[in-house]
Amino acid sequence: MLSLFLIFAGLASQASAACDRAMLEAATAAYIKAQGAGTADMAALSSTVNYTENDVVTDIKKGVLSQPITIDFSRNILDTTQCATFTELDCATNKHPYVIHTRMLFTDDKITTIQSVVSDDGDWAFNAAGHLKWNKEEKWDSIPAAKRDTRAVIQAAGDAYLDSWGDGTVKVPYGTPCTRLEGGSYTSGSNPKTNTCKMPEFPKPFKITNRRYIIDEEMGGVDIFNDFPFIDKTKPNGTPSTNFIRVEGGQIRYIHEVTICATKNCGR
């Protein structure tokens, strides 16, 4: 019995070691370097990686990752529980400006899935220079261990925010201050000490679906890839969107939204 326990304990140790922060940090650094160089040559990349851009399966050698891009600023969150990462790239000074949100999923230390929301001119409220300016001013420091929220609390805050778009009675744990960076628009530019994150209720029926989470307790971060309905007139059932949220002490501090439009500014 003792020998079996030791075997299982060893296996559990190997599984958790396969997804520690150091491995994920190295992988995100390699991804950022690869995007800057315009090559998918990453040591951890699986030969059978599933690669999508804006929810469309794409040849990784022909997508945005094949373009050398000037990256002005980046943020990462690392999910050691799911073996996954999220990276936000500000590429405002690139010849073709972008804001890119990318999630990577790992199996046995290999990147088996890459999903990117790639926004540029014509997407919702797009302004790469504005996004870069405001993003660099925000404070996303590591949260001391004793003050960290649980995964459940962080995810619940993000879900409440998205749920409130379809049901105005949902109580969202907004902090004060709370700021939303939507495309390149910053809600608290003139009111930095207040809650400017609250969203109006959208016309019913309205429900955010296809939610995919990356959660990092150390950074208080959650990113939620989702299908945003209503906003794009040509895609009433949902367009690729992502909400990158910082939670501090159970309350939302920052929200970054990137939403793709099939027609300029989603036809609005």
Side-chain angles (χ1 to χ4, degrees):
M1 182 65 74
L2 178 59
S3 60
L4 284 175
F5 172 80
L6 292 174
I7 290 171
F8 289 134
L11 291 173
S13 175
Q14 291 173 17
S16 55
C19 204
D20 61 18
R21 291 189 74 85
M23 184 276 283
L24 296 177
E25 284 173 353
T28 55
Y31 163 69
I32 293 170
K33 182 178 180 180
Q35 184 61 85
T39 174
D41 186 17
M42 293 178 280
L45 189 69
S46 169
S47 59
T48 58
V49 63
N50 179 277
Y51 180 77
T52 63
E53 290 182 10
N54 300 338
D55 288 350
V56 177
V57 175
T58 303
D59 184 342
I60 197 169
K61 296 180 180 179
K62 296 180 180 179
V64 73
L65 196 51
S66 68
Q67 304 173 26
I69 290 177
T70 300
I71 299 169
D72 302 297
F73 190 71
S74 65
R75 292 192 188 279
N76 301 303
I77 57 173
L78 312 174
D79 191 329
T80 57
T81 298
Q82 292 190 93
C83 294
T85 66
F86 168 79
T87 299
E88 177 178 65
L89 300 178
D90 278 315
C91 313
T93 62
N94 192 59
K95 185 176 181 180
H96 182 130
Y98 291 104
V99 175
I100 301 172
H101 281 188
T102 294
R103 65 197 305 266
M104 299 195 298
L105 311 182
F106 296 74
T107 303
D108 297 329
D109 290 0
K110 290 293 185 180
I111 304 167
T112 50
T113 298
I114 300 177
Q115 299 174 336
S116 291
V117 170
V118 182
S119 67
D120 59 5
D121 185 46
D123 289 321
W124 183 251
F126 182 81
N127 181 332
H131 196 282
L132 173 63
K133 167 184 165 55
W134 296 113
N135 196 4
K136 289 178 71 174
E137 292 185 11
E138 293 181 351
K139 186 177 180 180
W140 291 62
D141 293 343
S142 174
I143 296 172
K147 295 184 177 181
R148 291 173 193 167
D149 292 304
T150 64
R151 293 178 64 83
V153 166
I154 295 169
Q155 179 174 328
D159 277 334
Y161 172 66
L162 294 184
D163 290 344
S164 72
W165 297 8
D167 181 357
T169 67
V170 172
K171 293 183 178 180
V172 183
Y174 294 119
T176 302
C178 181
T179 304
R180 191 174 75 251
L181 179 53
E182 187 171 333
S185 300
Y186 209 53
T187 58
S188 70
S190 59
N191 297 293
K193 296 183 179 180
T194 62
N195 168 22
T196 58
C197 289
K198 184 175 174 60
M199 285 284 287
E201 184 177 340
F202 285 90
K204 296 184 186 305
F206 186 95
K207 186 176 182 180
I208 300 284
T209 59
N210 195 23
R211 301 183 191 187
R212 289 149 285 164
Y213 306 87
I214 304 293
I215 300 170
D216 183 343
E217 300 94 322
E218 183 172 316
M219 297 302 296
V222 56
D223 182 76
I224 309 175
F225 271 44
N226 62 87
D227 293 344
F228 186 176
F230 172 78
I231 191 70
D232 192 326
K233 289 186 175 182
T234 67
K235 293 186 175 182
N237 294 325
T239 188
S241 184
T242 169
N243 286 265
F244 182 28
I245 297 170
R246 164 85 166 189
V247 179
E248 300 175 355
Q251 298 186 314
I252 297 175
R253 176 63 183 93
Y254 299 117
I255 301 168
H256 295 181
E257 180 193 323
V258 171
T259 297
I260 303 305
C261 296
T263 57
K264 189 174 179 63
N265 233 23
C266 292
R268 298 186 180 278

